Amino acid sequence: MSTTGTTLRTACHVVIHFGLADPDHPHYAMPDGRLTPLAAIHLAATGHTSTSQPLPDPFHTDPDQAKQLMRDTPTTWDAIRWAAAVTPTTPDPDTATGLPDLIDHLDTWAATPDPFTGRRPNTSDVIALLARAAHAADTLTHTLPTQRAAA
């Protein structure tokens, strides 16, 4: 298992425990404790999964600062990259960098109704996405075996 896979599986449990935020809410965490998939990933990546250690204030008040915190936390960013990789859509480029905007991509996926069913992703859909990302991270992350001195 990879560290990123473990983070994503933990994010599944975080979504189950805290609930999925309303995609129309302007922040990553709602006052009642429900979280967006990205906030759940960050919570899992930082290990603050209990109610006694809440998310940093920007997740409740300032989406731009919250995005920067996610980008600046390597474990969070790795998990976001894997989650974005398994979504059925392609991310748009960030206007500032020209690189794919993975945070906006996941936000959009979570808020956009499915063209066939007309419904937005629910808790089960988010958990399935995170589980697929965990499986992909575990399967496709290659690590070198420990080097040993020749006998």
Side-chain angles (χ1 to χ4, degrees), residues 31-90:
D32 63 4
R34 291 180 292 155
L35 305 172
T36 65
L38 288 163
I41 289 171
H42 186 74
L43 206 60
T46 58
H48 296 167
T49 56
S50 71
T51 55
S52 64
Q53 295 178 318
L55 284 164
D57 286 341
F59 283 85
H60 300 276
T61 60
D62 188 341
D64 291 330
Q65 279 188 335
K67 286 177 185 180
Q68 195 57 49
L69 281 171
M70 288 185 274
R71 285 186 192 103
D72 291 344
T73 307
T75 309
T76 301
W77 189 243
D78 286 344
I80 289 170
R81 286 177 35 221
W82 282 105
V86 299
T87 59
T89 56
T90 305

Side-chain angles (χ1 to χ4, degrees), residues 1-9 75 78-83 85-86 129-143:
M1 279 191 285
S2 68
T3 302
T4 304
T6 300
T7 298
L8 289 159
R9 277 186 292 284
T75 309
D78 286 344
I80 289 170
R81 286 177 35 221
W82 282 105
V86 299
L129 177 92
L130 295 172
R132 280 193 312 275
H135 180 74
D138 288 342
T139 304
L140 301 174
T141 301
H142 302 292
T143 57

Side-chain angles (χ1 to χ4, degrees), residues 28 38 63-64 66-68 70-71 77 80-85 87 89-110:
Y28 288 100
L38 288 163
D64 291 330
K67 286 177 185 180
Q68 195 57 49
M70 288 185 274
R71 285 186 192 103
W77 189 243
I80 289 170
R81 286 177 35 221
W82 282 105
T87 59
T89 56
T90 305
D92 291 328
D94 182 319
T95 54
T97 65
L99 298 172
D101 188 339
L102 303 181
I103 292 174
D104 184 58
H105 177 59
L106 288 174
D107 279 341
T108 301
W109 173 81

